[in-house]
């Protein structure tokens, strides 16, 4: 056995966590999406705040998102130990205890909400508090293990950051911030269901009632197509609001054309064909979904950034 293997086993046995283990509790990849969409919401909002206030606000929103991740890992430790995709997370790996994850999640939740309220305003702080509550209690503790519509309703948790960023500047909610929320909300199901199609039996083994487990893969393919079509309507419609413009419209038309074509391709395929080529098109659709949200919010950011110079907008 190699020295690296011995060290890994020793760390797992004795729970000697390193900084990276605690950081992994915060789900940094998810946190990066939270930071980006919140920043776009903040920068696209009418008006402005001091750059230091903006920096602090994004930082505390990120901490709140990380707190949600830690509490999610605390509660889902039993599931994470079963699923191949999550076995290496800090709690299943034995480097961080469930008690530590809970304490970190609770402490960071309170810290992020209070500090955002003090740094920006209490509307933004209230939205952040509700986001944490929704993700941990409504989604993780209730919906995830109860209904195959878990990812549909639970997707709202990941859709709030641009609304929070918007509220940091405006102190309120508007049609534009609601539409940014809706864009992320409608994107989540096809994005996640595409992943489920080639995740094999992970969720079934863990007893999580995902749509493909409870209703089959054909129904899941049907749902991906329906939600993608609805998403395209929302995404393109946003071009004609205060956060849209020619740059965004061009981006939305191209991306949604590709996304709808990908969803139709997935819908037409059966399991035998998909298994034969290793779910090639499903994986391509999932990869496109990662770019989809980033480029839409990137286009919103471009409109907001170029507006003072007379570019973009209507």
């Amino acid at each position: 056995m190699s020295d690296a293997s011995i060290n890994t086993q020793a760390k797992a046995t004795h729970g000697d966590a390193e900084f990276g283990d605690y950081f992994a509790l915060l789900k940094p990849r998810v946190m990066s999406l939270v930071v980006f969409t919140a920043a776009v919401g903040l920068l696209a909002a009418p008006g402005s705040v001091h750059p230091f206030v903006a920096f602090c606000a994004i930082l505390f929103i990120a901490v709140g998102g990380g707190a949600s991740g830690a509490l999610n890992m605390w509660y889902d430790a039993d599931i994470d130990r079963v699923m191949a995709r999550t076995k290496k997370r800090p709690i299943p790996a034995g480097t961080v205890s469930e008690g530590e994850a809970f304490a970190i999640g609770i402490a960071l939740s309170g810290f992020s909400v209070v500090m955002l309220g003090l740094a920006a305003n209490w509307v933004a702080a209230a939205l952040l508090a509700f986001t944490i509550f929704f993700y941990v209690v409504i989604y993780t503790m209730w919906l995830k293990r109860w209904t195959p519509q878990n990812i549909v309703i639970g997707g709202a948790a990941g859709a709030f950051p641009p609304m929070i960023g918007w509220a940091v500047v405006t102190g309120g909610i508007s049609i534009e911030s609601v539409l940014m929320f809706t864009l992320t909300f409608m994107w989540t199901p096809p994005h996640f269901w595409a992943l489920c199609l080639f995740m094999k039996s992970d969720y079934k083994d863990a007893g999580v009632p995902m749509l493909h487990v409870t209703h089959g893969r054909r129904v899941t393919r049907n749902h991906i197509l329906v939600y993608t079509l609805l998403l395209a309507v929302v995404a393109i419609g946003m071009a004609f609001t205060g956060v849209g413009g020619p740059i965004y419209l061009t981006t939305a038309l191209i991306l949604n054309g590709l996304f709808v074509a990908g969803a139709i391709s997935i819908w037409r395929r059966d399991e035998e064909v998909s298994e034969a080529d290793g779910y090639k098109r499903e994986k391509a659709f999932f990869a496109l979904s990662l770019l989809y949200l980033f480029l839409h919010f990137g286009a919103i950011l471009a409109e907001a950034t170029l507006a003072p110079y007379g570019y973009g907008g209507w």
Side-chain angles (χ1 to χ4, degrees):
M1 183 180 291
S2 68
D3 291 340
S5 298
I6 294 173
N7 291 338
T8 300
Q9 286 189 354
K11 188 170 75 169
T13 301
H14 298 293
D16 296 329
E18 299 176 354
F19 173 79
D21 298 313
Y22 290 115
F23 185 64
L25 274 179
L26 309 184
K27 294 190 174 182
R29 284 189 290 182
V30 176
M31 190 193 299
S32 65
L33 178 62
V34 168
V35 168
F36 179 62
T37 58
V40 172
L42 187 152
L43 293 171
S48 62
V49 294
H50 191 280
F52 182 70
V53 172
F55 170 79
C56 289
I58 296 302
L59 174 63
F60 298 137
I61 293 170
V63 171
S68 298
L71 291 171
N72 172 268
M73 287 199 193
W74 158 70
Y75 193 81
D76 276 352
D78 58 330
I79 293 175
D80 288 347
R81 291 187 180 98
V82 176
M83 295 177 61
R85 184 172 65 92
T86 55
K87 281 183 178 180
K88 294 183 179 180
R89 286 177 173 176
I91 297 176
T95 56
V96 177
S97 71
E98 293 179 32
E100 287 178 308
F102 177 77
I104 290 170
I106 290 295
L108 292 182
S109 295
F111 172 79
S112 62
V113 170
V114 171
M115 293 305 295
L116 183 60
L118 294 173
N121 60 72
W122 293 104
V123 173
L127 284 171
L128 178 60
F130 182 73
T131 301
I132 297 170
F133 172 81
F134 194 97
Y135 184 69
V136 175
V137 178
I138 303 300
Y139 171 66
T140 302
M141 295 183 178
W142 178 34
L143 294 173
K144 186 173 183 177
R145 303 177 189 229
W146 176 66
T147 172
Q149 294 299 311
N150 46 22
I151 200 64
V152 177
I153 307 169
F160 279 112
M163 291 186 70
I164 301 172
W166 186 278
V168 166
V169 177
T170 67
I173 298 170
S174 71
I175 184 62
E176 288 84 3
S177 69
V178 171
L179 283 172
M180 284 190 283
F181 166 93
T182 306
L183 177 67
T184 310
F185 179 78
M186 296 299 297
W187 163 85
T188 303
H191 160 76
F192 206 86
W193 284 331
L195 172 66
C196 290
L197 287 176
F198 58 86
M199 280 296 294
K200 299 295 183 181
S201 62
D202 256 15
Y203 289 102
K204 183 178 181 180
D205 294 342
V208 179
M210 297 301 297
L211 186 64
H212 70 293
V213 174
T214 60
H215 290 71
R217 293 172 181 267
R218 168 45 53 196
V219 171
T220 303
R221 293 175 188 276
N222 295 342
H223 276 62
I224 288 174
L225 177 59
V226 171
Y227 273 85
T228 299
L229 293 173
L230 294 173
L231 171 63
V233 173
V234 173
I236 295 172
M238 279 185 61
F240 306 100
T241 68
V243 296
I247 297 171
Y248 177 87
L249 178 59
T250 302
T251 303
L253 287 173
I254 294 172
L255 284 174
N256 285 279
L258 294 172
F259 213 49
V260 170
I264 292 173
S265 177
I266 288 176
W267 174 69
R268 287 176 172 171
R269 283 159 64 87
D270 57 36
E271 288 307 306
E272 292 182 0
V273 173
S274 295
E275 286 187 11
D277 67 6
Y279 293 90
K280 182 178 180 180
R281 293 188 184 178
E282 289 80 0
K283 291 177 180 178
F285 182 85
F286 177 74
L288 176 61
S289 74
L290 296 174
L291 285 174
Y292 179 97
L293 200 65
F294 173 79
L295 292 177
H296 273 83
F297 275 90
I300 293 172
L301 180 60
E303 294 282 359
T305 303
L306 296 174
Y309 304 100
Y311 296 97
W314 298 113

